[in-house]
């Protein structure tokens, strides 16, 4: 019988949930600004985008602080083992009804693919989006700040980052359905508890 | 058209008494017509073709009767200039109401707040010189190619009261509700957002085709057509075809405050339409901002051999070559260009021209300012502005195609993966 484990603490759940909402909001308003569709209007999109960006920035500062004080940042260190097994599971095992090869636990809650993806997210994509986003936000003050850049390059990098976020979002949401039951992972990130496939190693 | 050879008509605005030819002495005080600007009775009116003189006795010119002006009464009532006295010339540029500017016409004599927040009769009630502060008769403003004094900040005592620019009263960051608007003011001129349309009350002429002038009715008489009647004439034997418009959205261009002009006798370049006068400036130049303009389209006579714009003689008696008497372009250009000292080959053809008018007046209340999406759109007001990245207008097609392709591929991949999972689960159950 599978046992229930507490996978995500209250802060992590709050953080993840708020971050998800903000990123969806940033994506929608961002592509409205970009002119891809007309939904709430350019003006409101700009203001929502900027407000969401500031809130996200505040949240991320908190999250970084939390990760370092709790030591949880180690969760994202690249794993050396189980990579092959994990890849094989998603390509083959999952269709055969095999259990996930990676035992989730409070101490090791991310499988090697997750570790790799989230590390990429945290070290590359978020910084890219923040740096270009804040450069964009303060483009009017570049001369005072001594920054020489051109808005077009900044905007294009920011747009490229936005596409990467969407791709991540699509795959990420899909993978949440690959738990024991399609909603198992979703329940876990909302409630904190997940039925472990295997007893903790 | 040209001032040379048409002196007596043009000088009814280009001030002075008795400005008949090139020997006129500008520096003589007696020759500066004081009353056009300083009359407060509103009765001082010049005869249109009277070489700058008013009617001293009852006079008929161009079908209009001019009663003699009571110079004694006017002289007792000289005073400060007003919108009416400045407007006596500036509202009628081009020879009739609203022909030239589009943002300066008789609707500004007693404007509502909706038309102009500054000159609003019931509100600020500014006169022209509230902004065009005048010292020792130097009226601040652009003078031909010399830009108006520009100080994009609050006017201080050291500016000697010079406060023509919007910033001199409002400062460069006048918006309290939205800082994004203030971010624009270094690149987008205030007028670009605050004058969403010009000629909002009276129509203005947008194009003038001289090539079709000189047609006569069945009885061989000059005629006029006015359709619809509330707009100015759209065909006149003497002038050709005019297109009037109301509530016109401006055209936007980079502008550093100075203009370039095609000079008399200057060879026409390769640019079509030929720009007779247009704004200087471009992206990245420190004093250049995006500014609204009216573009007046013309079709006018030129000399296809010497490649110069024709200088017609317009007014004059029959046989003098004056177009409005003889209706013969060759004769008119021969007379006009001789007087101006420009070579004329004898050939006449017509060419399209453009004249730019900068738009600075008719500022409605702030609620009417141009909305963000009018500019931040693929084919918005900024469509022709080069050299700046404008979110919502600009993007990289390659990046967008690549981006959406990746999104589609990932969505496709997870769909296939999901479908396979569902199918495989069905098979397991079936086994
Ligand atoms: C993380 C902090 C972020 C900041 C500070 C930021 C800032 C900005 C700014 C300043 C703009 C220009 C329009 C405006 O002033 O609102 C912008 C545009 C945009 N943003 Fe963000 N943004 C952030 C995150 C995101 C995210 C996460 C996405 C996508 C998921 C995104 C997608 C976009 C897009 C597509 C545009 C339009 C780019 C263009 O067409 O020029 N942004 N962003």
């Amino acid at each position: 019988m599978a046992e229930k484990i507490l996978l995500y603490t209250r802060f992590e759940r709050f953080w993840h949930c708020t971050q998800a909402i903000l990123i969806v909001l940033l994506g929608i308003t961002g592509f409205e600004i970009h002119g891809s569709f007309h939904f709430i209007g350019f003006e409101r999109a700009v203001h929502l985008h900027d407000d969401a960006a500031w809130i996200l920035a505040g949240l991320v500062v908190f999250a970084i602080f939390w990760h370092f004080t709790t030591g949880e940042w180690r969760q994202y260190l690249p794993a050396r083992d189980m990579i092959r097994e994990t890849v094989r599971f998603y390509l083959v095992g999952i269709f055969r009804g095999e259990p996930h090869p990676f035992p989730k636990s409070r101490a090791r809650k991310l499988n090697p693919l997750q570790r790799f993806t989230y590390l990429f997210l945290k070290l590359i994509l978020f910084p890219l989006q923040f740096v270009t986003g804040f450069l964009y936000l303060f483009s009017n003050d570049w001369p005072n700040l001594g920054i020489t850049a051109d808005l077009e390059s900044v905007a294009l990098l920011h747009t490229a980052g936005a596409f990467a976020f969407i791709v991540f979002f699509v795959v990420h949401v899909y993978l949440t359905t690959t738990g024991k039951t399609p909603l198992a992972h979703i329940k876990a990130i909302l409630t904190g508890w997940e039925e472990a496939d295997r007893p903790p190693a | 058209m040209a001032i040379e050879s048409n002196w007596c008509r043009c000088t009814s605005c280009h001030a002075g008494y008795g400005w008949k030819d090139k020997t006129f002495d500008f520096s003589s005080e007696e020759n500066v017509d004081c009353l056009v600007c300083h009359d407060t009775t509103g009765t001082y009116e010049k005869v249109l073709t009277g070489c700058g003189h008013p009617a001293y006795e009852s006079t008929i010119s161009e079908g209009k009767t001019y009663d003699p002006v009571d110079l004694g009464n006017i002289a007792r009532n000289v005073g400060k200039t007003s919108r009416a006295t400045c407007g006596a010339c500036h509202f009628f540029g081009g020879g009739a109401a609203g022909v030239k500017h589009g943002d300066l016409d008789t609707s500004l004599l007693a404007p509502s707040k909706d038309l102009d927040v500054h000159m609003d009769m019931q509100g600020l009630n500014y006169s022209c010189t509230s902004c065009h502060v005048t010292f020792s008769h130097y009226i601040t403003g652009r003078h031909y190619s010399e830009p108006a004094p520009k100080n994009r900040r609050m006017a201080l005592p050291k500016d000697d009261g010079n406060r023509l620019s919007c910033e001199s009263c409002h400062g460069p960051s006048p918006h309290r509700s939205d800082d994004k608007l203030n971010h624009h003011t270094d690149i987008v001129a205030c007028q670009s957002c605050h004058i969403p349309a010009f000629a909002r009350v009276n129509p203005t002429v947008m194009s003038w085709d001289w090539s079709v002038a000189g047609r006569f009715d069945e009885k061989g008489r000059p005629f006029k057509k006015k359709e619809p009647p509330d707009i100015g004439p759209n065909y006149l034997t003497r002038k050709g075809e005019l297109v009037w418009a109301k509530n016109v959205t401006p055209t936007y261009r980079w502008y550093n405050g100075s203009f370039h002009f095609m000079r008399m006798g200057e060879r026409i370049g390769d640019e079509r339409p030929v720009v007779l006068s247009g704004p200087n400036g471009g992206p990245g130049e420190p004093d250049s901002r995006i500014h609204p303009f009216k573009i007046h389209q013309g079709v006018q006579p030129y000399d296809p051999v010497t490649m110069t714009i024709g200088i017609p003689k317009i007014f004059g008696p029959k046989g003098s070559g004056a177009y409005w008497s003889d209706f013969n372009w060759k004769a008119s250009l021969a007379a006009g260009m001789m007087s101006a000292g420009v070579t004329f080959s004898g050939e006449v053809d017509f060419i399209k021209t453009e004249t730019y008018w900068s738009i600075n007046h008719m500022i409605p209340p702030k609620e009417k300012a141009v909305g963000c999406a009018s500019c931040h759109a693929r084919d918005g007001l900024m469509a022709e502005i080069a050299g700046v990245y404008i979110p919502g207008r600009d993007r990289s097609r390659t990046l967008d195609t690549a981006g959406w392709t990746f999104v589609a591929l990932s969505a496709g991949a997870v769909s296939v993966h999901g479908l396979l999972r569902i199918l495989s689960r069905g098979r397991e159950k079936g086994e």
Side-chain angles (χ1 to χ4, degrees):
Chain A
M1 194 59 220
E3 78 179 274
K4 272 195 164 186
I5 54 169
L6 180 68
L7 215 47
Y8 306 108
T9 63
R10 192 198 296 242
F11 176 81
E12 279 172 296
R13 279 179 276 142
F14 161 76
W15 161 56
H16 180 273
C17 186
T18 321
Q19 176 160 293
I21 292 169
L22 287 173
I23 294 212
V24 169
L25 195 62
L26 283 163
I28 293 173
T29 52
F31 279 97
E32 167 111 38
I33 294 164
H34 190 61
S36 304
F37 44 76
H38 300 287
F39 198 43
I40 56 170
F42 183 88
E43 182 167 12
R44 261 190 290 170
V46 164
H47 292 133
L48 263 177
H49 196 79
D50 295 357
D51 293 346
W54 279 110
I55 300 173
L56 182 62
L59 187 69
V60 165
V61 169
F62 264 110
I64 292 173
F65 178 73
W66 179 86
H67 277 89
F68 280 100
T69 50
T70 57
E72 287 286 314
W73 61 277
R74 288 193 193 85
Q75 298 268 6
Y76 302 97
L77 288 179
R80 252 146 293 163
D81 51 344
M82 305 283 287
I83 300 177
R84 204 122 41 103
E85 290 84 339
T86 316
V87 173
R88 194 195 149 272
F89 169 75
Y90 285 110
L91 290 182
V92 183
I94 194 165
F95 302 117
R96 299 197 177 145
E98 288 171 13
H100 200 288
F102 183 82
K104 268 192 189 174
S105 71
R106 184 71 202 100
R108 290 181 67 191
K109 62 188 176 212
L110 302 176
N111 73 45
L113 287 185
Q114 282 177 304
R115 282 173 179 252
F116 180 76
T117 311
Y118 298 162
L119 194 66
F120 169 78
L121 211 62
K122 286 176 161 51
L123 288 187
I124 311 241
L125 201 49
F126 264 97
L128 170 77
Q129 209 62 355
F130 269 101
V131 169
T132 55
F134 278 100
L135 275 175
Y136 209 148
L137 199 55
F138 289 101
S139 59
N140 205 57
D141 297 314
W142 290 354
N144 303 335
L145 299 170
I147 297 171
T148 42
D150 82 300
L151 187 57
E152 175 157 23
S153 321
V154 168
L156 292 187
L157 282 172
H158 194 70
T159 311
F163 278 118
F165 264 103
I166 303 192
V167 169
F168 166 78
F169 185 78
V170 167
V171 177
H172 185 69
V173 168
Y174 170 71
L175 288 176
T176 63
T177 67
T178 59
K180 233 183 150 187
T181 62
L183 290 179
H185 289 334
I186 304 260
K187 259 189 227 146
I189 194 67
L190 292 177
T191 63
W193 294 91
E194 174 149 319
E195 284 183 22
D197 287 327
R198 286 186 179 182
Chain B
M1 288 250 171
I3 195 172
E4 297 283 327
S5 74
N6 298 306
W7 293 107
C8 277
R9 175 63 200 271
C10 300
T11 51
S12 53
C13 285
H14 295 257
Y17 280 135
W19 191 356
K20 283 196 181 133
D21 56 35
K22 293 184 235 169
T23 59
F24 181 79
D25 178 9
F26 284 102
S27 55
S28 156
E29 286 270 315
E30 286 150 46
N31 276 330
V32 177
D33 180 355
C34 316
L35 295 174
V36 262
C37 291
H38 288 291
D39 170 33
T40 58
T41 65
T43 59
Y44 186 78
E45 188 179 17
K46 294 190 186 191
V47 179
L48 269 182
T49 52
C51 304
H53 286 277
Y56 302 114
E57 48 203 59
S58 207
T59 309
I60 298 175
S61 167
E62 296 191 7
K64 182 174 170 185
T65 310
Y66 293 83
D67 292 329
V69 296
D70 180 352
L71 286 175
N73 180 38
I74 294 172
R76 284 186 297 277
N77 286 292
V78 292
K80 278 189 102 49
T81 62
S82 64
R83 294 195 295 267
T85 56
C86 304
C89 296
H90 288 287
F91 295 168
F92 299 94
V99 171
K100 276 187 178 173
H101 288 276
D103 66 332
L104 285 170
D105 63 35
T106 49
S107 64
L108 288 177
L109 287 172
S112 64
K113 187 169 185 189
D114 231 31
L115 181 63
D116 192 299
V117 291
H118 301 101
M119 295 187 255
D120 169 23
M121 278 286 273
Q122 254 72 54
L124 293 173
N125 200 12
Y126 277 11
S127 72
C128 312
T129 48
S130 305
C131 297
H132 294 275
V133 177
T134 302
F135 336 86
S136 312
H137 284 114
Y138 181 85
I139 301 175
T140 50
R142 172 183 65 81
H143 291 279
Y144 296 112
S145 54
E146 182 197 331
K150 43 182 166 290
N151 39 332
R152 290 193 196 146
R153 52 175 169 75
M154 288 286 187
L156 300 169
K158 68 172 189 239
D159 297 311
D160 286 335
N162 195 340
R163 48 161 198 244
L164 179 59
S165 75
C166 315
E167 287 89 339
S168 54
C169 292
H170 291 287
S173 303
H175 308 97
R176 279 160 287 169
S177 64
D178 187 351
D179 216 28
K180 286 276 178 209
L181 291 171
N182 292 335
H183 290 175
H184 286 75
T185 57
D186 55 341
I187 291 197
V188 183
C190 316
Q191 289 90 330
S192 294
C193 289
H194 284 289
I195 310 177
F198 56 85
R200 294 202 300 277
V201 174
N202 297 333
T204 185
V205 171
M206 295 305 290
S207 73
W208 186 330
D209 182 352
W210 287 89
S211 71
V212 295
R215 291 184 191 147
F216 297 88
D217 68 8
E218 319 81 56
K219 299 205 179 102
R221 290 171 315 195
F223 70 105
K224 253 191 211 184
K225 243 181 12 197
K226 241 179 137 175
E227 286 159 11
D230 65 314
I231 271 185
N234 26 32
Y235 184 81
L236 299 99
T237 301
R238 292 164 144 201
K239 299 187 179 177
E241 194 170 81
L242 280 76
V243 176
W244 297 76
K246 240 161 115 166
N247 230 335
V248 187
T249 306
T251 305
Y252 294 86
R253 293 284 183 271
W254 288 103
Y255 179 44
N256 65 10
S258 74
F259 265 62
H260 57 83
F261 298 90
M262 174 153 268
R263 276 158 291 138
M264 267 195 302
E266 187 178 325
R267 230 186 129 75
I268 297 165
D270 298 329
E271 193 182 30
R272 292 291 177 280
V274 179
V275 176
L276 298 181
S277 74
N280 293 327
E285 293 176 29
D287 283 326
S288 286
R289 292 192 292 180
I290 298 163
H291 194 93
F293 290 91
K294 165 185 161 179
I295 301 182
H296 182 113
Q297 315 273 353
V299 177
Q300 49 186 87
Y302 81 114
D303 182 333
V305 179
T306 60
M307 289 303 278
T308 52
I309 294 291
I311 303 165
K313 182 174 174 62
I314 300 284
F315 319 95
K318 256 195 180 338
S320 68
Y323 188 75
W324 287 5
S325 304
D326 298 339
F327 294 103
N328 179 327
W329 284 118
K330 283 190 181 165
S332 168
L333 259 57
M337 293 175 81
M338 163 110 85
S339 158
V342 176
T343 324
F344 176 51
S345 73
E347 292 298 309
V348 178
D349 203 349
F350 288 85
I351 196 164
K352 285 192 175 159
T353 60
E354 282 184 350
T355 310
Y356 283 71
W357 294 98
S358 86
I359 299 292
N360 297 289
H361 312 90
M362 298 187 179
I363 295 167
K366 59 183 177 192
E367 295 76 23
K368 300 268 174 70
V370 173
C372 320
S374 310
C375 295
H376 291 279
R378 303 264 185 262
D379 290 310
L381 298 177
M382 296 290 110
E384 291 172 24
I385 295 292
V388 270
Y389 179 86
I390 305 177
R393 181 194 77 164
D394 297 324
R395 62 184 157 159
S396 150
R397 279 179 183 282
T398 322
L399 176 61
D400 270 20
T401 312
W404 292 121
T405 308
F406 272 112
V407 171
L409 284 178
S410 54
V414 300
S415 306
V416 170
H417 197 273
L419 203 67
L420 287 178
R421 269 166 64 209
I422 294 170
L423 290 178
S424 64
R425 197 178 315 141
R427 212 172 48 224
E428 271 166 33
K429 281 202 186 116
E431 271 168 15

